[in-house]
Amino acid sequence: MVEESGRRKRPNILVTGTPGTGKTTTCTALAEASQLRHINVGDLVKEKNLHDGWDDELDCYVINEDLVCDELEDQMEEGGNIVDYHGCDFFPERWFDCVVVLQTDNTVLYDRLSRRGYNESKLSNNIECEIFQVLLEEAKESYPEDRVVAMKSDTIEDVSRNVSTLTDWVRNWHPTS
Ligand code: ADP
Ligand code: MN
């Protein structure tokens, strides 16, 4: 298969992690600092109806992965995107030059998700997801390991450090790398 990442002038970054780990906070700051385009997949799914209805049990939309990938294909080919989503196994591997998995201490995450008003089952599902490092495993299974990086996201200082590390990485990225 033809390696397509070489055509991009700017890199694509995926920022993933359990809900509440700080993906949107981090991506917003990173987009500002690096001048890349922030794509919040959850918002896009709602806006463009890229779902198959509401799952009452899981209390979220049933995302239509094919529709999402079709919607994003052109932009991803162009490059210069930061994709923000709590899943990573259904995007084409060739889209991403770097996959960031945010991680948060359980008690800190519990407080963030309670403040968000999550019900008991949604809370425990997400805390369990974080304890078992589900997103890190999913990222490692879906992308070459040298493109996957785990970053701690407990405090605002962590966000600043992660954003500055990633901004430097973007600045030094070249199409052939
Ligand atoms: P996600 O997009 O992963 O669900 P958000 O970025 O929406 O997470 O963050 C959830 C909440 O936690 C927000 O209120 C945000 O301000 C806070 N938050 C996220 N990351 C951090 C962090 N590293 N330090 C302190 N607060 C954070
Ligand atoms: Mn978010």
Side-chain angles (χ1 to χ4, degrees):
M1 220 187 89
V2 179
E3 178 54 67
E4 303 213 0
S5 62
R7 289 196 209 146
R8 294 194 277 275
K9 289 206 177 71
R10 309 198 70 198
N12 291 323
I13 301 173
L14 173 62
V15 177
T16 190
T18 306
T21 51
K23 297 180 297 296
T24 301
T25 306
T26 302
C27 290
T28 303
L30 179 60
E32 172 100 31
S34 66
Q35 297 297 303
L36 300 187
R37 185 196 292 121
H38 177 192
I39 300 174
N40 185 324
V41 173
D43 290 349
L44 187 76
V45 164
K46 264 182 270 175
E47 265 165 41
K48 304 224 161 173
N49 271 306
L50 311 174
H51 58 79
D52 300 318
W54 184 260
D55 184 326
D56 277 326
E57 201 163 317
L58 293 179
D59 193 31
C60 62
Y61 283 107
V62 181
I63 183 177
N64 185 312
E65 298 172 349
D66 292 336
L67 290 181
V68 169
C69 290
D70 287 350
E71 178 69 32
L72 292 176
E73 181 64 50
D74 290 350
Q75 279 181 313
M76 297 306 295
E77 194 167 322
E78 197 183 306
N81 302 287
I82 308 165
V83 174
D84 169 352
Y85 195 59
H86 58 264
C88 64
D89 60 358
F90 63 90
F91 301 118
E93 182 193 313
R94 65 188 154 76
W95 276 5
F96 298 107
D97 303 291
C98 177
V99 177
V100 177
V101 182
L102 296 180
Q103 298 191 305
T104 301
D105 175 82
N106 302 318
T107 56
V108 175
L109 185 63
Y110 190 94
D111 290 344
R112 284 186 202 158
L113 295 178
S114 313
R115 239 177 286 138
R116 208 179 243 186
Y118 277 21
N119 66 39
E120 205 51 51
S121 90
K122 203 168 176 177
L123 254 170
S124 52
N125 280 344
N126 283 299
I127 294 298
E128 207 167 281
C129 174
E130 189 60 9
I131 290 173
F132 290 107
Q133 303 198 314
V134 171
L135 267 309
L136 183 61
E137 290 310 313
E138 188 174 314
K140 284 181 178 171
E141 277 166 22
S142 309
Y143 301 92
E145 271 206 52
D146 63 348
R147 281 189 221 169
V148 177
V149 53
M151 291 183 160
K152 190 162 83 79
S153 177
D154 291 344
T155 65
I156 289 302
E157 289 72 36
D158 291 334
V159 175
S160 308
R161 195 194 51 248
N162 295 337
V163 167
S164 109
T165 303
L166 291 167
T167 305
D168 287 346
W169 178 87
V170 170
R171 201 175 293 128
N172 291 314
W173 186 86
H174 298 292
T176 49
S177 65

